[in-house]
């Protein structure tokens, strides 16, 4: 970052944060664990960095009397992982947050920043002309694609690195987003919808928008929840494949995979419905895992991810009953 200069602001109200983000050249910063790397790699050159952690409620974690929960976008990953209420009622999220990076990174990074971080494709990060970096196509398709996606929903075959996003998809979370011009709340999956075909963004929020909170309905609390993450290394690594699953107290099931696409990927609803029926023997579980991934399209060097995903789905179904 030699010779690179930018202004730093730490507004103390949400209104002033959003006002600052509306200015040209402004970028939000929470823990900075992704932004600082992007600056080092020459992929971001903000004129003004706006710290989004200082306004009232920015990082609060609230479990409401009705069983629902609200988590501020600036809540630290470590605080989400350690929160006793979340561990008791939304354990899949706490476990996913506990698997992020190292203790130091978890104590710096924020939940909103983790959801909104950019993908880690080595072609993109090293300035190679790819679909997201000035080129016409995904460089990984005919190149080194061992860690890329198996779910083909657009030209880009990178994967999004967020572990909490996978758990939040299984929980049916909603994301509150605000800007100077207004606010909106979307389903978690909408945060990534269309990212594979968007040259500029990996997360579907505008540069002046901020993730202010994650909302969890009471219906998603308790029940049977399961998290598992497979990595190349035993610790401090992004997921090769991750799986989150939840059987709600009403018997309905939601399952999601990470490491397979540019956003968490929800298992087809027909599979979830069959899992919700319960009483599945090992052969039936094997068949469901096979069906769930029938249409995925691995690249030349990452077909192993399909087998990993099947294994994780089998174990998840067994864990949530």
């Amino acid at each position: 970052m030699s010779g690179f200069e930018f202004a730093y602001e730490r507004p103390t109200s949400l209104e002033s944060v959003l006002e600052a983000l509306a200015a040209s050249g402004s970028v939000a910063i929470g823990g900075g664990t992704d932004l600082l790397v992007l600056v080092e790699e020459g992929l971001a050159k903000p004129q003004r960095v706006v710290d989004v952690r200082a306004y009232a409620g920015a990082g609060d974690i609230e479990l409401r009397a009705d069983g629902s929960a609200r988590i501020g976008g600036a809540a630290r990953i470590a605080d989400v992982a350690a929160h006793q209420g979340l561990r008791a009622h939304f354990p899949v999220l706490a476990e996913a947050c506990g698997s992020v990076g190292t203790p130091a990174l978890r104590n710096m990074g924020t939940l909103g920043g983790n959801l909104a971080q950019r993908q880690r494709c080595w072609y993109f990060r090293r300035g190679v002309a790819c679909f997201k970096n000035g080129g016409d196509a995904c460089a990984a398709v005919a190149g080194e694609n061992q860690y890329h996606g198996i779910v083909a929903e657009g030209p880009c075959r990178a994967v999004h690195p967020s572990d909490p996003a996978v758990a939040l998809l299984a929980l049916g979370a909603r994301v509150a987003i605000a800007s100077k011009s207004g606010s909106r709340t979307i389903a978690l999956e909408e945060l990534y919808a269309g990212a594979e075909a968007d040259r500029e963004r990996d997360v579907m929020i505008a540069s002046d928008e901020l993730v202010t909170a994650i909302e969890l309905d009471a219906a998603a609390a308790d029940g049977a929840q399961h998290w598992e993450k497979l990595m190349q290394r035993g610790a401090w690594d992004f997921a090769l494949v991750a799986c989150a699953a939840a059987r709600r107290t009403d018997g309905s099931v939601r399952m999601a995979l990470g490491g397979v696409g540019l956003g968490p990927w929800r298992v087809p609803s027909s599979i979830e419905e069959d899992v919700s029926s319960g009483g599945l023997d090992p052969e039936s579980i094997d068949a469901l895992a096979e069906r769930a991934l029938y249409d995925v399209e691995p690249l030349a060097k990452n077909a192993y991810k399909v087998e990993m995903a099947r294994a994780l789905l089998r174990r998840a179904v067994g864990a949530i009953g």
Side-chain angles (χ1 to χ4, degrees):
M1 291 190 290
S2 177
F4 180 70
E5 296 182 358
F6 54 85
Y8 171 80
E9 294 187 17
R10 188 178 171 86
T12 55
S13 71
L14 177 57
E15 292 76 14
S16 56
V17 167
L18 300 179
E19 182 75 29
L21 288 178
S24 177
S26 293
V27 175
I29 189 170
T33 56
D34 187 42
L35 178 59
L36 295 181
V37 176
L38 289 169
V39 170
E40 288 279 6
E41 293 169 335
L43 295 169
K45 291 187 177 181
Q47 298 171 23
R48 175 163 57 171
V49 171
V50 182
D51 194 324
V52 302
R53 298 171 294 179
Y55 69 87
D60 288 357
I61 301 173
E62 177 188 5
L63 266 68
R64 304 185 179 107
D66 66 357
S68 65
R70 180 190 184 277
I71 306 170
R76 296 187 306 164
I77 299 292
D79 292 339
V80 178
H83 192 277
Q84 290 303 308
L86 295 178
R87 292 179 66 86
H89 301 291
F90 302 97
V92 67
L93 175 59
E95 291 175 26
C97 286
S99 73
V100 172
T102 63
L105 290 172
R106 292 192 292 274
N107 276 286
M108 284 295 295
T110 63
L111 183 57
N114 184 276
L115 297 179
Q117 68 183 298
R118 298 219 65 176
Q119 39 89 359
R120 300 281 172 159
C121 169
W122 45 42
Y123 290 105
F124 171 74
R125 294 277 177 162
R126 294 177 184 177
V128 174
C130 66
F131 179 75
K132 294 275 188 176
N133 202 21
D136 295 327
C138 177
V141 170
E144 296 298 320
N145 49 53
Q146 295 94 320
Y147 304 123
H148 286 72
I150 58 175
V151 179
E153 297 184 357
C156 179
R157 296 298 292 268
V159 299
H160 197 272
S162 175
D163 294 325
V166 186
L168 289 169
L169 179 56
L171 291 171
R174 291 170 289 112
V175 181
I177 299 167
S179 71
K180 182 181 176 182
S181 59
S183 60
R184 59 195 175 105
T185 300
I186 62 174
L188 186 282
E189 50 264 46
E190 294 180 53
L191 202 59
Y192 307 98
E196 300 93 337
D198 191 305
R199 291 185 179 277
E200 302 296 328
R201 299 180 294 178
D202 299 330
V203 181
M204 297 294 103
I205 56 176
S207 60
D208 65 337
E209 290 186 311
L210 176 69
V211 173
T212 56
I214 292 82
E215 296 277 354
L216 294 167
D217 291 336
D222 303 318
Q225 300 180 22
H226 172 79
W227 167 259
E228 187 172 1
K229 174 181 176 179
L230 297 180
M231 302 175 286
Q232 185 174 30
R233 297 178 294 188
W236 190 27
D237 208 352
F238 300 111
L240 295 174
V241 182
C243 181
R247 178 187 290 275
R248 297 186 173 191
T249 55
D250 66 2
S252 62
V253 168
R254 291 177 63 104
M255 304 178 72
L257 294 172
V260 299
L262 198 47
W265 182 77
R266 188 173 172 188
V267 170
S269 59
S270 61
I271 304 298
E272 294 175 334
E273 290 168 3
D274 286 346
V275 173
S276 70
S277 66
L280 298 171
D281 58 31
E283 291 76 17
S284 297
I285 294 174
D286 287 345
L288 286 175
E290 187 79 22
R291 278 175 47 208
L293 298 161
Y294 182 79
D295 292 325
V296 301
E297 299 179 11
L299 298 168
K301 299 179 181 179
N302 69 359
Y304 73 92
K305 284 196 173 191
V306 180
E307 296 306 315
M308 281 186 167
R310 286 183 182 133
L312 291 189
L313 288 175
R314 288 194 294 266
R315 292 203 283 268
V317 173
I320 64 173

